[in-house]
Amino acid sequence: MFRRSGASATLATALVAAAAALVLTASSTATAAVTAPGFISGTDLPPHASSPWYAGKVTKGLPETAPFCLEGALPAVGSWHRSFGTDVDAGAVQVSVRAASDAAAVKLAAALKRKVAACASDWLRTMPGGTASWQDYGKLSVEEGAHVYGVHTSIPESEPGVALFGIGRDGSTVTVVKWSQMGYLTDAPVPAFKKTTTKAVNKLNP
């Protein structure tokens, strides 16, 4: 019967251990690639006067309906989303995207900011007789930075609508939170929403 020498047995054991380590590393990498970024909860949103916030599941991909102002701007690849609702007119959605690199995330965040900043004027071109306005509420010092905007739209014989957008980045992950309800920019809970945006970026795990 053939017997391995002590050196051969040691080498074989080392090779098996190395192969197992490679398998575990590959498995961990694959798992990390499909893990959703951290998301806010309903209690992280600005409190509503007459209703709690109800949070949907964190779901891979984009929402069925693209967030207002961001149609066509969010990539499906690497995206996750979570929707929120109330018993009344307020709603919210968070979309987070794991980009291919930090540089790609910088470009995506910049593109989303431009899209929101141009939203009011773009909307007016498609809604004759409507009114729209927007407000830049400034930058937030969190991770690689965030920015908050507000957009108001209204058409004759219809309730006005207001939306707040928080766009931020942590490494190669970009997140956008959109809050909306009936009303005007003066009705928007800007200070509370800035806290929401800060929490959203802090919860990312790129």
Side-chain angles (χ1 to χ4, degrees):
M1 179 181 292
F2 175 76
R3 293 185 178 179
R4 293 180 178 176
S5 67
S8 296
T10 300
L11 177 60
T13 300
L15 289 173
V16 170
L22 286 173
V23 170
L24 287 173
T25 300
S27 176
S28 298
T29 301
T31 299
V34 299
T35 300
F39 275 72
I40 59 171
S41 63
T43 55
D44 295 322
L45 288 162
H48 193 279
S50 61
S51 172
W53 282 96
Y54 305 104
K57 293 181 179 180
V58 174
T59 305
K60 191 172 184 179
L62 297 174
E64 288 187 19
T65 302
F68 175 60
C69 291
L70 295 173
E71 296 87 350
L74 290 161
V77 177
S79 293
W80 297 77
H81 73 276
R82 189 177 203 180
S83 298
F84 303 86
T86 62
D87 291 329
V88 283
D89 62 307
V93 63
Q94 181 182 5
V95 180
S96 296
V97 183
R98 290 194 184 280
S101 64
D102 284 11
V106 169
K107 291 182 179 179
L108 175 60
L112 296 177
K113 292 172 187 176
R114 288 194 300 269
K115 187 80 170 176
V116 171
C119 181
S121 58
D122 289 344
W123 183 86
L124 280 174
R125 282 193 287 271
T126 65
M127 290 291 177
T131 59
S133 59
W134 76 288
Q135 183 68 48
D136 184 339
Y137 293 114
K139 298 178 180 179
L140 301 176
S141 297
V142 53
E143 299 300 342
E144 273 71 64
H147 212 115
V148 173
Y149 301 89
V151 177
H152 161 260
T153 58
S154 181
I155 57 176
E157 300 180 4
S158 180
E159 293 289 342
V162 60
L164 294 176
F165 298 85
I167 301 167
R169 181 175 71 89
D170 185 0
S172 61
T173 305
V174 176
T175 194
V176 55
V177 182
K178 171 186 167 283
W179 167 98
S180 61
Q181 70 173 29
M182 291 188 294
Y184 300 89
L185 287 173
T186 52
D187 301 316
V190 177
F193 186 75
K194 285 185 175 181
K195 293 179 181 179
T196 296
T197 301
T198 299
K199 289 181 180 180
V201 178
N202 274 329
K203 288 190 175 185
L204 295 175
N205 44 356

